[in-house]
Amino acid sequence: AGATHVALEKLPADRFATAAELRAALADETRVSRAAPPSMPRARVGSLVPWAVAAAAVAVAAFGLFSRSNEPETASGPLRVSLLRAGMAGDATPSVSARGGGGRLTISRDGRVVVFVGLDNGAQRLYRRSLDDPEIVALAGTEGAAFPAISPDGRSVAFGNAGGGVSRMSLDGGAPTEIAKPVAPPIGISWSETHGLVFGMLGFVEDSPGITTMAVSGDTTLRFVTRPELPESEDAPWEMHHNPIVFPDDETIGYLDIRGSGRVLSTLRLSDAEPRRTELPARQVLGWSDGVLVYMDFGGVFMAAGFDLERGTVTSGPVAIPGVPPGAADGVLAANGNLVFQRRPTHFEVALVDQRGNATTLVAGDSTTRFRGRYSPDGERIAMTGDFGGTRGTWLYDLTTRTLSPLPVGYAPQSISWTPDGRRIVTVDDGDDPRVPVHATPADASDTPSAFAHFGGRQAAGIELSPDGTTLAITEDLGTNPMLRELDIVLLDLADGTITDFAVSPSNETAPRFSASGRWLAYASNESGRYEVYARPFPGPGGRVQISAGGGSEPVWSPDGRRIYYRLGRAFMAADLSGADTNTLTVTGRTRLFEGAFRSTRLEDAIEASYDVAPDGSRLLLARAIGSTGPEIMLWTGWLDEVKVLLDAGR
């Protein structure tokens, strides 16, 4: 039947007894395959390789999870398996959502099923991955979902829906049903067999809810377990309790205790509701297993500490979990010790990529912050954000002298544009006073940023300046739903301050980009249930033209107006056009150019394109991942023993 089939047998007696037996069987099969008859077609051998790799990965995972003793194999060290790429490839592979402070992954108590928030062709939904089946299954009806939590019996999943409520559905399929509409949208959900759903809520409401429980059947009245204190004044810090995780005793939970800018890991027992602050600075709680509490610190490091559930006290540590690769984030720990976490590329370089995907390094060095890059109107300079020489910032790259110089803009502006004369760089920066959301900085760094435009106290997430310099197309964040951004595109007349709607609907409209002629404005919208690229006449009126088909985001015009480039997952697409200089725009064809691991803005808040097109239209300016093939989900088993040794040594 083959080694992989034996490893996946349902009955323990039919599987390998030890990891050594599995490795030996796989080795025998490898030797046989290498000795295949010369007459075997080469194409057939090549076509078997991906399936063999996937099957072997699943077999290893299955053995580690379903061995007879139900204990992790430790003789050969931890088992580490990629779950995201083992079963799907190309466009069908959903990427992992990265927005927010955790809670995008969940695992069943027995460690057999993982559910995660993924993105596929612009649609955000839940996906299920069973550890004994390589297929990744999209859960229909979960568009806009966040914070999934698998039920204790492993049969259902609850999640925060796009409307701010809580829904539930069977993991075997069927339509979701909304079961709760809390006073505030949930920020993190977990599931207790005894106490029902446990979730944190945003504290910016009069009732100031914190950790809340709700039965999933019968009396579904909300029970407020904690009550964060309301601030005494507008300037005082808020207290919030987020992202709870139910521990295996079904009584204790860990959660984030947020007070102003400080976050620590706190615990409480749901029966007596007495919080216990651990003073462990934490970005995310991952879980507890066999005496070990696991969390992520502010530096993105996975940490472990000995923790007594009964007393609610740290008994040893904390220590960093050894071997966790760079880019690990958003993890969750099963009751049996299986650790699942998201891994993202961490190192990038700025490159010019031609239409076939051939890349030439433009700026060597890591670019680990949110990359933004825009060519100047004369095409001789590039304003970009990045991390070069170990310094985060906003930079100006001179293509003639090949020099990089810092700009006094701030390390990570949300959006970058140029004035038509090329003298100033216009930005929207994180944390700006909303009364003056848009600033301009001289491109020669002769002065600090100054106010460029007022937006009447509204929140500008992204901006695009028209080619004639008279109008700002603004991606406005309405800011009413903390789970998902609510984005519209409006136009700000810079002469008189008039604001008019351009693309406004209950859906998201974002990432506007003007054509060189200024007669059209392209943007992305998820009105259809996934992001697609559209274009409308500027300033209007006129109907929209759909540019992409089958999904698309982050549109950028070619300088001659004959193409709109856009992203489709890991792929870059080009839509050929006619009529960009007239009032009639037509798509004449679409071409898939290339794909790869390039930094992008997240689809949940893709406020502008993370790349640009060279003035001659031949190449794209991108941040290319170094030494990584893109996001993945990793499974670890058998790692707790090593961590316990470290904790014992530090007592």
mmCIF file of all heavy atoms in Angstrom, residues 130-173:
data_model
loop_
_atom_site.group_PDB
_atom_site.id
_atom_site.type_symbol
_atom_site.label_atom_id
_atom_site.label_comp_id
_atom_site.label_asym_id
_atom_site.label_seq_id
_atom_site.Cartn_x
_atom_site.Cartn_y
_atom_site.Cartn_z
ATOM 1 N N SER A 130 -7.677 19.535 7.804
ATOM 2 C CA SER A 130 -7.592 18.373 8.683
ATOM 3 C C SER A 130 -6.208 17.767 8.530
ATOM 4 O O SER A 130 -5.677 17.650 7.427
ATOM 5 C CB SER A 130 -8.672 17.345 8.310
ATOM 6 O OG SER A 130 -8.531 16.186 9.083
ATOM 7 N N LEU A 131 -5.623 17.357 9.631
ATOM 8 C CA LEU A 131 -4.248 16.872 9.607
ATOM 9 C C LEU A 131 -4.113 15.516 8.939
ATOM 10 O O LEU A 131 -3.005 15.121 8.597
ATOM 11 C CB LEU A 131 -3.679 16.820 11.036
ATOM 12 C CG LEU A 131 -3.045 18.108 11.567
ATOM 13 C CD1 LEU A 131 -1.899 18.562 10.706
ATOM 14 C CD2 LEU A 131 -4.069 19.225 11.657
ATOM 15 N N ASP A 132 -5.210 14.792 8.730
ATOM 16 C CA ASP A 132 -5.110 13.518 8.031
ATOM 17 C C ASP A 132 -5.638 13.620 6.603
ATOM 18 O O ASP A 132 -5.916 12.618 5.958
ATOM 19 C CB ASP A 132 -5.845 12.405 8.789
ATOM 20 C CG ASP A 132 -7.301 12.740 9.040
ATOM 21 O OD1 ASP A 132 -7.714 13.868 8.701
ATOM 22 O OD2 ASP A 132 -8.020 11.882 9.568
ATOM 23 N N ASP A 133 -5.776 14.864 6.099
ATOM 24 C CA ASP A 133 -6.250 15.071 4.732
ATOM 25 C C ASP A 133 -5.566 16.319 4.191
ATOM 26 O O ASP A 133 -5.680 17.398 4.776
ATOM 27 C CB ASP A 133 -7.767 15.261 4.734
ATOM 28 C CG ASP A 133 -8.348 15.372 3.328
ATOM 29 O OD1 ASP A 133 -7.565 15.556 2.374
ATOM 30 O OD2 ASP A 133 -9.576 15.287 3.189
ATOM 31 N N PRO A 134 -4.817 16.219 3.077
ATOM 32 C CA PRO A 134 -4.076 17.379 2.576
ATOM 33 C C PRO A 134 -4.947 18.463 1.967
ATOM 34 O O PRO A 134 -4.471 19.559 1.706
ATOM 35 C CB PRO A 134 -3.154 16.766 1.514
ATOM 36 C CG PRO A 134 -3.866 15.548 1.047
ATOM 37 C CD PRO A 134 -4.567 15.006 2.265
ATOM 38 N N GLU A 135 -6.219 18.196 1.736
ATOM 39 C CA GLU A 135 -7.066 19.184 1.078
ATOM 40 C C GLU A 135 -7.413 20.321 2.025
ATOM 41 O O GLU A 135 -7.780 20.107 3.182
ATOM 42 C CB GLU A 135 -8.353 18.533 0.570
ATOM 43 C CG GLU A 135 -9.251 19.507 -0.194
ATOM 44 C CD GLU A 135 -10.530 18.862 -0.682
ATOM 45 O OE1 GLU A 135 -10.751 17.677 -0.340
ATOM 46 O OE2 GLU A 135 -11.296 19.524 -1.384
ATOM 47 N N ILE A 136 -7.303 21.543 1.531
ATOM 48 C CA ILE A 136 -7.732 22.725 2.268
ATOM 49 C C ILE A 136 -9.131 23.090 1.782
ATOM 50 O O ILE A 136 -9.346 23.287 0.583
ATOM 51 C CB ILE A 136 -6.765 23.897 2.061
ATOM 52 C CG1 ILE A 136 -5.378 23.533 2.607
ATOM 53 C CG2 ILE A 136 -7.280 25.155 2.742
ATOM 54 C CD1 ILE A 136 -4.328 24.565 2.316
ATOM 55 N N VAL A 137 -10.089 23.167 2.695
ATOM 56 C CA VAL A 137 -11.496 23.336 2.337
ATOM 57 C C VAL A 137 -11.967 24.727 2.751
ATOM 58 O O VAL A 137 -11.839 25.117 3.919
ATOM 59 C CB VAL A 137 -12.373 22.268 3.018
ATOM 60 C CG1 VAL A 137 -13.839 22.465 2.650
ATOM 61 C CG2 VAL A 137 -11.901 20.870 2.628
ATOM 62 N N ALA A 138 -12.497 25.489 1.795
ATOM 63 C CA ALA A 138 -13.109 26.778 2.098
ATOM 64 C C ALA A 138 -14.479 26.553 2.725
ATOM 65 O O ALA A 138 -15.263 25.736 2.248
ATOM 66 C CB ALA A 138 -13.243 27.614 0.828
ATOM 67 N N LEU A 139 -14.761 27.268 3.816
ATOM 68 C CA LEU A 139 -16.051 27.150 4.495
ATOM 69 C C LEU A 139 -16.996 28.200 3.926
ATOM 70 O O LEU A 139 -16.841 29.399 4.166
ATOM 71 C CB LEU A 139 -15.879 27.329 6.003
ATOM 72 C CG LEU A 139 -14.954 26.302 6.678
ATOM 73 C CD1 LEU A 139 -14.897 26.543 8.184
ATOM 74 C CD2 LEU A 139 -15.419 24.871 6.391
ATOM 75 N N ALA A 140 -17.967 27.744 3.149
ATOM 76 C CA ALA A 140 -18.884 28.639 2.445
ATOM 77 C C ALA A 140 -19.701 29.467 3.435
ATOM 78 O O ALA A 140 -20.094 28.987 4.503
ATOM 79 C CB ALA A 140 -19.814 27.838 1.538
ATOM 80 N N GLY A 141 -19.934 30.706 3.076
ATOM 81 C CA GLY A 141 -20.760 31.583 3.901
ATOM 82 C C GLY A 141 -20.010 32.294 5.000
ATOM 83 O O GLY A 141 -20.633 32.944 5.844
ATOM 84 N N THR A 142 -18.667 32.204 5.002
ATOM 85 C CA THR A 142 -17.888 32.827 6.082
ATOM 86 C C THR A 142 -17.135 34.055 5.596
ATOM 87 O O THR A 142 -16.149 34.456 6.211
ATOM 88 C CB THR A 142 -16.889 31.821 6.678
ATOM 89 O OG1 THR A 142 -15.968 31.393 5.645
ATOM 90 C CG2 THR A 142 -17.607 30.611 7.244
ATOM 91 N N GLU A 143 -17.566 34.665 4.507
ATOM 92 C CA GLU A 143 -16.887 35.846 4.000
ATOM 93 C C GLU A 143 -16.857 36.940 5.067
ATOM 94 O O GLU A 143 -17.865 37.238 5.705
ATOM 95 C CB GLU A 143 -17.588 36.364 2.739
ATOM 96 C CG GLU A 143 -17.352 35.533 1.497
ATOM 97 C CD GLU A 143 -18.067 34.188 1.511
ATOM 98 O OE1 GLU A 143 -19.018 34.033 2.320
ATOM 99 O OE2 GLU A 143 -17.689 33.285 0.738
ATOM 100 N N GLY A 144 -15.693 37.529 5.256
ATOM 101 C CA GLY A 144 -15.527 38.567 6.261
ATOM 102 C C GLY A 144 -15.333 38.049 7.666
ATOM 103 O O GLY A 144 -15.310 38.834 8.615
ATOM 104 N N ALA A 145 -15.173 36.738 7.830
ATOM 105 C CA ALA A 145 -15.070 36.150 9.169
ATOM 106 C C ALA A 145 -13.739 36.481 9.832
ATOM 107 O O ALA A 145 -12.726 36.738 9.173
ATOM 108 C CB ALA A 145 -15.236 34.635 9.093
ATOM 109 N N ALA A 146 -13.742 36.457 11.156
ATOM 110 C CA ALA A 146 -12.537 36.672 11.955
ATOM 111 C C ALA A 146 -12.673 35.902 13.261
ATOM 112 O O ALA A 146 -13.772 35.531 13.676
ATOM 113 C CB ALA A 146 -12.330 38.158 12.242
ATOM 114 N N PHE A 147 -11.542 35.652 13.908
ATOM 115 C CA PHE A 147 -11.490 35.040 15.237
ATOM 116 C C PHE A 147 -12.229 33.706 15.321
ATOM 117 O O PHE A 147 -13.167 33.539 16.109
ATOM 118 C CB PHE A 147 -12.040 35.998 16.287
ATOM 119 C CG PHE A 147 -11.403 37.358 16.267
ATOM 120 C CD1 PHE A 147 -12.147 38.490 15.996
ATOM 121 C CD2 PHE A 147 -10.047 37.502 16.502
ATOM 122 C CE1 PHE A 147 -11.567 39.749 15.965
ATOM 123 C CE2 PHE A 147 -9.452 38.761 16.479
ATOM 124 C CZ PHE A 147 -10.216 39.885 16.210
ATOM 125 N N PRO A 148 -11.846 32.708 14.539
ATOM 126 C CA PRO A 148 -12.527 31.411 14.621
ATOM 127 C C PRO A 148 -12.191 30.677 15.913
ATOM 128 O O PRO A 148 -11.111 30.855 16.488
ATOM 129 C CB PRO A 148 -11.974 30.655 13.407
ATOM 130 C CG PRO A 148 -10.611 31.243 13.191
ATOM 131 C CD PRO A 148 -10.757 32.706 13.532
ATOM 132 N N ALA A 149 -13.122 29.845 16.379
ATOM 133 C CA ALA A 149 -12.919 29.016 17.570
ATOM 134 C C ALA A 149 -13.636 27.691 17.350
ATOM 135 O O ALA A 149 -14.845 27.668 17.097
ATOM 136 C CB ALA A 149 -13.462 29.704 18.821
ATOM 137 N N ILE A 150 -12.904 26.583 17.432
ATOM 138 C CA ILE A 150 -13.487 25.256 17.244
ATOM 139 C C ILE A 150 -14.117 24.791 18.554
ATOM 140 O O ILE A 150 -13.562 25.000 19.637
ATOM 141 C CB ILE A 150 -12.418 24.254 16.768
ATOM 142 C CG1 ILE A 150 -11.895 24.670 15.390
ATOM 143 C CG2 ILE A 150 -12.976 22.843 16.696
ATOM 144 C CD1 ILE A 150 -10.793 23.790 14.862
ATOM 145 N N SER A 151 -15.271 24.157 18.460
ATOM 146 C CA SER A 151 -15.978 23.680 19.646
ATOM 147 C C SER A 151 -15.175 22.578 20.340
ATOM 148 O O SER A 151 -14.331 21.913 19.718
ATOM 149 C CB SER A 151 -17.356 23.142 19.242
ATOM 150 O OG SER A 151 -17.216 22.059 18.335
ATOM 151 N N PRO A 152 -15.416 22.342 21.636
ATOM 152 C CA PRO A 152 -14.682 21.299 22.362
ATOM 153 C C PRO A 152 -14.819 19.917 21.741
ATOM 154 O O PRO A 152 -13.881 19.107 21.829
ATOM 155 C CB PRO A 152 -15.301 21.351 23.762
ATOM 156 C CG PRO A 152 -15.771 22.766 23.914
ATOM 157 C CD PRO A 152 -16.255 23.151 22.551
ATOM 158 N N ASP A 153 -15.960 19.619 21.114
ATOM 159 C CA ASP A 153 -16.124 18.301 20.491
ATOM 160 C C ASP A 153 -15.563 18.243 19.074
ATOM 161 O O ASP A 153 -15.613 17.193 18.416
ATOM 162 C CB ASP A 153 -17.588 17.864 20.491
ATOM 163 C CG ASP A 153 -18.490 18.797 19.671
ATOM 164 O OD1 ASP A 153 -17.966 19.679 18.954
ATOM 165 O OD2 ASP A 153 -19.723 18.642 19.745
ATOM 166 N N GLY A 154 -15.030 19.368 18.581
ATOM 167 C CA GLY A 154 -14.397 19.399 17.274
ATOM 168 C C GLY A 154 -15.340 19.373 16.098
ATOM 169 O O GLY A 154 -14.899 19.189 14.955
ATOM 170 N N ARG A 155 -16.637 19.576 16.311
ATOM 171 C CA ARG A 155 -17.601 19.453 15.227
ATOM 172 C C ARG A 155 -18.048 20.785 14.641
ATOM 173 O O ARG A 155 -18.553 20.819 13.521
ATOM 174 C CB ARG A 155 -18.835 18.696 15.723
ATOM 175 C CG ARG A 155 -18.554 17.257 16.150
ATOM 176 C CD ARG A 155 -19.827 16.591 16.673
ATOM 177 N NE ARG A 155 -19.575 15.207 17.078
ATOM 178 C CZ ARG A 155 -20.488 14.413 17.610
ATOM 179 N NH1 ARG A 155 -21.730 14.868 17.783
ATOM 180 N NH2 ARG A 155 -20.173 13.178 17.957
ATOM 181 N N SER A 156 -17.889 21.869 15.388
ATOM 182 C CA SER A 156 -18.392 23.165 14.952
ATOM 183 C C SER A 156 -17.306 24.216 15.078
ATOM 184 O O SER A 156 -16.286 24.012 15.745
ATOM 185 C CB SER A 156 -19.610 23.596 15.790
ATOM 186 O OG SER A 156 -20.639 22.633 15.742
ATOM 187 N N VAL A 157 -17.547 25.353 14.426
ATOM 188 C CA VAL A 157 -16.666 26.505 14.570
ATOM 189 C C VAL A 157 -17.536 27.738 14.772
ATOM 190 O O VAL A 157 -18.570 27.906 14.123
ATOM 191 C CB VAL A 157 -15.743 26.669 13.340
ATOM 192 C CG1 VAL A 157 -16.539 26.908 12.068
ATOM 193 C CG2 VAL A 157 -14.734 27.788 13.570
ATOM 194 N N ALA A 158 -17.149 28.570 15.713
ATOM 195 C CA ALA A 158 -17.776 29.871 15.918
ATOM 196 C C ALA A 158 -16.803 30.934 15.428
ATOM 197 O O ALA A 158 -15.589 30.731 15.433
ATOM 198 C CB ALA A 158 -18.112 30.090 17.393
ATOM 199 N N PHE A 159 -17.332 32.085 15.012
ATOM 200 C CA PHE A 159 -16.467 33.136 14.499
ATOM 201 C C PHE A 159 -17.190 34.470 14.544
ATOM 202 O O PHE A 159 -18.422 34.538 14.596
ATOM 203 C CB PHE A 159 -16.032 32.832 13.061
ATOM 204 C CG PHE A 159 -17.164 32.637 12.089
ATOM 205 C CD1 PHE A 159 -17.673 33.709 11.367
ATOM 206 C CD2 PHE A 159 -17.721 31.378 11.898
ATOM 207 C CE1 PHE A 159 -18.721 33.533 10.472
ATOM 208 C CE2 PHE A 159 -18.758 31.190 11.005
ATOM 209 C CZ PHE A 159 -19.266 32.273 10.294
ATOM 210 N N GLY A 160 -16.413 35.531 14.548
ATOM 211 C CA GLY A 160 -16.975 36.859 14.429
ATOM 212 C C GLY A 160 -17.342 37.127 12.990
ATOM 213 O O GLY A 160 -16.517 36.936 12.092
ATOM 214 N N ASN A 161 -18.578 37.534 12.732
ATOM 215 C CA ASN A 161 -18.997 37.776 11.351
ATOM 216 C C ASN A 161 -18.782 39.235 10.966
ATOM 217 O O ASN A 161 -18.445 40.085 11.799
ATOM 218 C CB ASN A 161 -20.441 37.330 11.132
ATOM 219 C CG ASN A 161 -21.424 38.064 12.037
ATOM 220 O OD1 ASN A 161 -21.347 39.272 12.227
ATOM 221 N ND2 ASN A 161 -22.376 37.312 12.610
ATOM 222 N N ALA A 162 -18.955 39.514 9.692
ATOM 223 C CA ALA A 162 -18.668 40.845 9.172
ATOM 224 C C ALA A 162 -19.591 41.906 9.745
ATOM 225 O O ALA A 162 -19.264 43.097 9.704
ATOM 226 C CB ALA A 162 -18.765 40.840 7.644
ATOM 227 N N GLY A 163 -20.742 41.503 10.292
ATOM 228 C CA GLY A 163 -21.671 42.459 10.858
ATOM 229 C C GLY A 163 -21.439 42.776 12.315
ATOM 230 O O GLY A 163 -22.226 43.489 12.930
ATOM 231 N N GLY A 164 -20.372 42.235 12.900
ATOM 232 C CA GLY A 164 -20.076 42.501 14.296
ATOM 233 C C GLY A 164 -20.685 41.512 15.262
ATOM 234 O O GLY A 164 -20.517 41.643 16.473
ATOM 235 N N GLY A 165 -21.393 40.499 14.745
ATOM 236 C CA GLY A 165 -21.978 39.479 15.604
ATOM 237 C C GLY A 165 -21.122 38.234 15.660
ATOM 238 O O GLY A 165 -19.983 38.196 15.186
ATOM 239 N N VAL A 166 -21.679 37.174 16.241
ATOM 240 C CA VAL A 166 -21.000 35.890 16.361
ATOM 241 C C VAL A 166 -21.861 34.836 15.674
ATOM 242 O O VAL A 166 -23.055 34.731 15.943
ATOM 243 C CB VAL A 166 -20.763 35.505 17.836
ATOM 244 C CG1 VAL A 166 -20.093 34.148 17.931
ATOM 245 C CG2 VAL A 166 -19.914 36.558 18.528
ATOM 246 N N SER A 167 -21.252 34.055 14.778
ATOM 247 C CA SER A 167 -21.960 33.003 14.056
ATOM 248 C C SER A 167 -21.351 31.648 14.375
ATOM 249 O O SER A 167 -20.231 31.550 14.884
ATOM 250 C CB SER A 167 -21.905 33.256 12.544
ATOM 251 O OG SER A 167 -22.619 34.418 12.192
ATOM 252 N N ARG A 168 -22.117 30.608 14.034
ATOM 253 C CA ARG A 168 -21.679 29.228 14.264
ATOM 254 C C ARG A 168 -22.058 28.384 13.058
ATOM 255 O O ARG A 168 -23.097 28.605 12.435
ATOM 256 C CB ARG A 168 -22.354 28.667 15.513
ATOM 257 C CG ARG A 168 -22.036 27.201 15.799
ATOM 258 C CD ARG A 168 -22.883 26.679 16.951
ATOM 259 N NE ARG A 168 -22.542 25.307 17.284
ATOM 260 C CZ ARG A 168 -23.147 24.601 18.245
ATOM 261 N NH1 ARG A 168 -24.119 25.162 18.950
ATOM 262 N NH2 ARG A 168 -22.784 23.357 18.500
ATOM 263 N N MET A 169 -21.187 27.409 12.718
ATOM 264 C CA MET A 169 -21.507 26.490 11.641
ATOM 265 C C MET A 169 -20.820 25.159 11.890
ATOM 266 O O MET A 169 -19.842 25.069 12.644
ATOM 267 C CB MET A 169 -21.085 27.054 10.287
ATOM 268 C CG MET A 169 -19.590 27.102 10.053
ATOM 269 S SD MET A 169 -19.146 27.761 8.408
ATOM 270 C CE MET A 169 -19.929 26.538 7.347
ATOM 271 N N SER A 170 -21.325 24.124 11.246
ATOM 272 C CA SER A 170 -20.720 22.806 11.332
ATOM 273 C C SER A 170 -19.459 22.777 10.478
ATOM 274 O O SER A 170 -19.424 23.347 9.380
ATOM 275 C CB SER A 170 -21.704 21.739 10.853
ATOM 276 O OG SER A 170 -21.042 20.488 10.692
ATOM 277 N N LEU A 171 -18.433 22.086 10.957
ATOM 278 C CA LEU A 171 -17.214 21.946 10.175
ATOM 279 C C LEU A 171 -17.405 20.991 9.004
ATOM 280 O O LEU A 171 -16.543 20.920 8.118
ATOM 281 C CB LEU A 171 -16.067 21.461 11.062
ATOM 282 C CG LEU A 171 -15.427 22.542 11.938
ATOM 283 C CD1 LEU A 171 -14.408 21.933 12.886
ATOM 284 C CD2 LEU A 171 -14.790 23.614 11.080
ATOM 285 N N ASP A 172 -18.498 20.257 8.995
ATOM 286 C CA ASP A 172 -18.793 19.375 7.872
ATOM 287 C C ASP A 172 -19.549 20.093 6.751
ATOM 288 O O ASP A 172 -19.836 19.496 5.721
ATOM 289 C CB ASP A 172 -19.620 18.177 8.344
ATOM 290 C CG ASP A 172 -18.824 17.260 9.254
ATOM 291 O OD1 ASP A 172 -17.595 17.188 9.075
ATOM 292 O OD2 ASP A 172 -19.428 16.636 10.144
ATOM 293 N N GLY A 173 -19.860 21.362 6.962
ATOM 294 C CA GLY A 173 -20.567 22.122 5.939
ATOM 295 C C GLY A 173 -21.902 22.626 6.431
ATOM 296 O O GLY A 173 -22.286 22.437 7.585
#
